[in-house]
Amino acid sequence: MLRPQDTRTRERKSLTGLWRLRLDAAGAGRGDRWFAGELDDAVDVPVPASYNDVLADAAVRDHVGDAWYQTTVRVPRGWAGERVVLRFDSATHRAVVWVGDTQVAEHEGGYTPFEADVTHLAVPGEELRVTAVVNNELTFETIPPGVVEDTPHGRRQRYFHDFFNYAGLHRAVWLYATPATYVRDVTVVTDLDGSTGVVRYSVESAGDAARTTRVTLRDAERRVVATGEGEQGELRVAGAHRWAPGDGYLHELDVELVGDDGATLDSYLQTVGIRTVEVRGIEFLINGEPFRFTGFGKHEDSAVRGKGHDDAFLVHDFALLDWVGANSFRTSHYPYADEVYDYADRHGVVVIDEVAAVGQNMGLAGGIFGTQGYTTFSPETVNDRSREVHAQAIRELVARDKNHPSVVLWSIANEPESDTDAARAYFEPLFALTRELDPTRPVGFVNVMLAPHGKCQVSELGDVLMLNRYYGWYVQSGDLVAAEAAWREELEAWAGDGKPIIITEYGADTVPGLHSVTPTPWTEEYQVEHLDMNHRVFDSVDAVVGEQVWNFADFQTSSGVMRVGGNKKGVFTRDRQPKAAAHALRRRWTRTS
Ligand code: BDP
């Protein structure tokens, strides 16, 4: 799905700012048609932001159910005759949208965009009332899963993942205009033929006007380096400047629809990074060169805003990645805002792109997060319907992110149960689907400690092995000597599979300012020594091609005895101050020899 743009033929208007919010714990609003007028008893809330923490009210923070958002937008006077579209970059976890009294959109899944053609409702110069009911309930048939419990004190949301269930309109909302005949989709796939860059493109258009498709590829200095005609084609760029880690060099493909009279009907600008990705043996190759991932699993998380996108944190987080010497991150545990991938593209930062399938593991949920008694895969729990929702989330992820050069690997789940026949049966078609949607990128999933080498039945489906391991934290807690031995033994076994291994999580909770001269969990020293131990293990196993520490920054979680004010495994605090580990990682990741 293409992003809204301002081009020679397109215009967009942002609907960010204060919206009206009314929570609907009783679920009365849909039947009572709250969309049919101004919301009563509503309060102001910012968009983008999670609503949970902006108001000082436990009922808002822990709300379960529908949340009604409303705003008005004036359709620009100049949009007569244009196609007008209302787009939500996300609504967590699902939404129904009305313009005036007319339902225009419905979407499942909290982290991918959706849109509606509202041309028939949009009168240039007039106002539109936009109402969205955003629902945050998680069940076994959602991604991620959860359980809503009816208690004498109201409905309570339980879930099996380790981050707070923030909800609301977390990203931008747009009203945008395109010509009636317009570019609907663009796909670019790049290749290298020696020093020649190859760009294969495919364009879908829609509308009634007769048209031909013309493409013009420009380099970053805006020189035309190739042109083409037709809905599909191949462009060749001799001596192309490649996109590479650390060198976010982008070309731009101007996709034009040209009418019979030679006039431009529509123009869409698609950035292109010319690069290849390949797994060969135990190597992960970018442009044919072995790449070693350094970096973090991250979260979209900050105080007050929750999961709301924030350009200040975007720029600051990337500045810190650069400072610490990280060349990559994983979008744990859901697709991030579009702006994040654009920035990664422009700055040559490598991304492992993950779908929001986290918590499909009742072994882990029972052991760590306190929920007992469920079987992960069963008709009553994670079932065929869940898998269809999961498949749709993968389709939407690939459709949104397929053109980002920064994205080099799809992660289709984090720490699911993977040591059972049921898990294998669940995941096989999802791997096949991802490869069918995108034959150009490797696919993997993130393996959990409960399914070690020899037990995991899903890992062999992946092109790479992604492992989360907490030796010295959840097991052999505080005993780094025993942890090192156990970890090396397991990792050497995985190395025997002959695939590249990325350690996608390792880390220790750390309270900033807590110190000790002996190795004591929760201290800054222990976090450093724990990382050092891990690095000794990684450096002794050739198949390890990446290390991503859990986590970039401290982040909010649900309440529980395992967490003190959230998860403290951040190398930076929640407000992005470095712990001692940040300096230690910087020494490792920026050393030149
Ligand atoms: C792993 C999860 C991650 C958690 C982390 C932890 O993938 O989301 O936050 O462990 O426990 O199980 O800190």
Side-chain angles (χ1 to χ4, degrees):
M1 185 188 284
L2 298 181
R3 301 270 303 279
Q5 282 190 346
D6 291 300
T7 70
R8 283 174 292 146
T9 59
R10 294 175 170 234
E11 238 176 295
R12 58 188 183 158
K13 184 165 180 173
S14 166
L15 274 64
T16 56
L18 294 183
W19 288 46
R20 306 286 286 161
L21 174 81
R22 182 175 176 190
L23 298 183
D24 182 14
R30 297 183 197 226
D32 291 351
R33 296 171 54 86
W34 286 7
F35 52 85
E38 272 181 35
L39 287 178
D40 292 333
D41 300 324
V43 295
D44 287 338
V45 289
V47 172
S50 306
Y51 54 74
N52 308 79
D53 287 350
V54 293
L55 303 167
D57 184 348
V60 178
R61 180 171 168 85
D62 298 325
H63 174 70
V64 179
D66 286 345
W68 291 78
Y69 279 83
Q70 194 170 71
T71 193
T72 54
V73 55
R74 193 169 289 281
V75 181
R77 284 175 304 159
W79 287 9
E82 301 291 287
R83 169 179 165 263
V84 180
V85 181
L86 176 63
R87 156 152 171 154
F88 287 73
D89 281 358
S90 72
T92 311
H93 294 281
R94 66 192 55 78
V96 180
V97 178
W98 292 262
V99 167
D101 292 359
T102 309
Q103 182 180 324
V104 296
E106 184 165 7
H107 183 257
E108 172 66 32
Y111 304 98
T112 42
F114 58 97
E115 59 183 30
D117 185 328
V118 296
T119 312
H120 56 300
L121 301 167
V123 179
E126 299 298 315
E127 242 179 24
L128 297 178
R129 185 180 71 242
V130 177
T131 309
V133 59
V134 181
N135 178 278
N136 67 349
E137 290 168 46
L138 297 175
T139 71
F140 275 111
E141 295 180 358
T142 64
I143 301 286
V147 175
V148 178
E149 291 171 347
D150 278 313
T151 79
H153 318 289
R155 298 168 78 228
R156 298 285 187 268
Q157 177 73 60
R158 307 284 300 270
Y159 43 95
F160 317 114
H161 53 271
D162 185 34
F163 54 92
F164 191 81
N165 187 34
Y166 281 117
L169 296 178
H170 288 153
R171 299 175 188 163
V173 182
W174 308 93
L175 195 66
Y176 73 93
T178 75
T181 294
Y182 64 99
V183 176
R184 184 159 58 192
D185 198 13
V186 179
T187 306
V188 291
V189 170
T190 64
D191 207 347
L192 295 169
D193 180 3
S195 62
T196 299
V198 181
V199 178
R200 295 189 190 97
Y201 71 89
S202 147
V203 176
E204 264 179 47
S205 60
D208 294 334
R211 64 216 178 243
T212 52
T213 304
R214 192 159 70 196
V215 297
T216 306
L217 187 67
R218 294 193 184 81
D219 66 14
E221 291 74 42
R222 309 205 56 73
R223 286 184 298 246
V224 174
V225 292
T227 58
E229 273 207 19
E231 291 190 330
Q232 293 180 2
E234 185 178 293
L235 307 176
R236 297 179 71 84
V237 186
H241 190 148
R242 298 162 186 193
W243 186 96
D247 183 7
Y249 188 93
L250 293 176
H251 288 74
E252 183 181 78
L253 189 70
D254 187 348
V255 178
E256 275 175 287
L257 301 181
V258 183
D260 281 347
D261 59 356
T264 301
L265 298 172
D266 190 16
S267 151
Y268 187 84
L269 300 172
Q270 175 62 57
T271 51
V272 179
I274 299 176
R275 60 107 182 91
T276 61
V277 178
E278 188 191 341
V279 169
R280 195 190 299 152
I282 58 166
E283 291 184 319
F284 194 100
L285 306 173
I286 299 182
N287 299 332
E289 315 227 326
F291 178 67
R292 194 180 167 94
F293 298 76
T294 57
F296 303 93
K298 284 186 94 261
H299 264 299
E300 292 189 312
D301 176 271
S302 63
V304 185
R305 266 177 199 277
K307 291 204 172 306
H309 174 74
D310 183 322
D311 279 341
F313 274 98
L314 168 79
V315 173
H316 190 55
D317 283 4
F318 274 86
L320 292 176
L321 291 175
D322 186 51
W323 174 86
V324 78
N327 61 20
S328 68
F329 62 92
R330 175 171 60 119
T331 69
S332 41
H333 293 306
Y334 36 82
Y336 290 1
D338 300 87
E339 290 86 344
V340 177
Y341 302 81
D342 282 349
Y343 204 87
D345 287 347
R346 288 204 305 279
H347 292 81
V349 176
V350 170
V351 176
I352 301 175
D353 205 0
E354 188 159 278
V355 79
V358 51
Q360 295 175 317
N361 193 332
M362 296 309 117
L364 197 60
I368 295 184
F369 303 118
T371 306
Q372 308 287 346
Y374 293 113
T375 303
T376 304
F377 298 101
S378 80
E380 292 74 40
T381 53
V382 179
N383 58 25
D384 290 350
R385 170 76 197 135
S386 323
R387 184 167 59 192
E388 187 35 50
V389 170
H390 195 158
Q392 180 59 18
I394 293 173
R395 284 186 203 105
E396 292 185 21
L397 176 72
V398 175
R400 191 192 69 158
D401 293 345
K402 62 188 173 184
N403 293 331
H404 287 291
S406 57
V407 174
V408 301
L409 172 58
W410 304 115
S411 167
I412 65 169
N414 179 73
E415 297 194 344
E417 175 180 302
S418 63
D419 56 349
T420 53
D421 292 343
R424 169 92 189 199
Y426 178 92
F427 277 105
E428 239 176 60
L430 296 178
F431 274 92
L433 171 71
T434 314
R435 292 200 173 97
E436 182 191 316
L437 293 167
D438 179 11
T440 74
R441 289 179 180 84
V443 186
F445 87 108
V446 174
N447 164 284
V448 66
M449 194 148 193
L450 297 177
H453 188 261
K455 291 218 170 127
C456 185
Q457 297 194 36
V458 177
S459 299
E460 68 176 1
L461 301 173
D463 299 306
V464 300
L465 297 169
M466 291 188 271
L467 306 180
N468 290 354
R469 288 298 180 276
Y470 287 94
Y471 288 99
W473 188 256
Y474 290 125
V475 293
Q476 289 95 26
S477 316
D479 184 349
L480 292 176
V481 175
E484 182 166 348
W487 193 185
R488 185 169 284 113
E489 190 184 331
E490 194 200 344
L491 197 53
E492 281 170 356
W494 284 108
D497 287 3
K499 292 184 182 183
I501 302 173
I502 303 167
I503 312 303
T504 33
E505 291 185 25
Y506 61 110
D509 283 272
T510 303
V511 176
L514 194 67
H515 294 288
S516 168
V517 291
T518 57
T520 308
W522 296 94
T523 63
E524 294 202 34
E525 288 79 6
Y526 189 80
Q527 191 179 30
V528 172
E529 289 185 43
H530 179 261
L531 295 178
D532 283 349
M533 177 280 283
N534 275 277
H535 296 150
R536 281 195 298 279
V537 175
F538 305 163
D539 292 347
S540 67
V541 178
D542 287 344
V544 173
V545 301
E547 52 195 49
Q548 293 188 331
V549 177
W550 191 255
N551 189 287
F552 172 74
D554 294 343
F555 58 90
Q556 195 53 273
T557 63
S558 61
S559 312
V561 292
M562 297 280 294
R563 299 289 176 250
V564 187
N567 187 307
K568 292 281 188 270
K569 294 193 186 69
V571 161
F572 297 93
T573 60
R574 201 179 191 209
D575 62 356
R576 277 52 171 179
Q577 298 306 311
K579 301 179 189 172
H583 295 280
L585 283 171
R586 184 170 192 241
R587 282 191 289 277
R588 174 173 168 87
W589 289 344
T590 61
R591 74 180 172 215
T592 44
S593 60

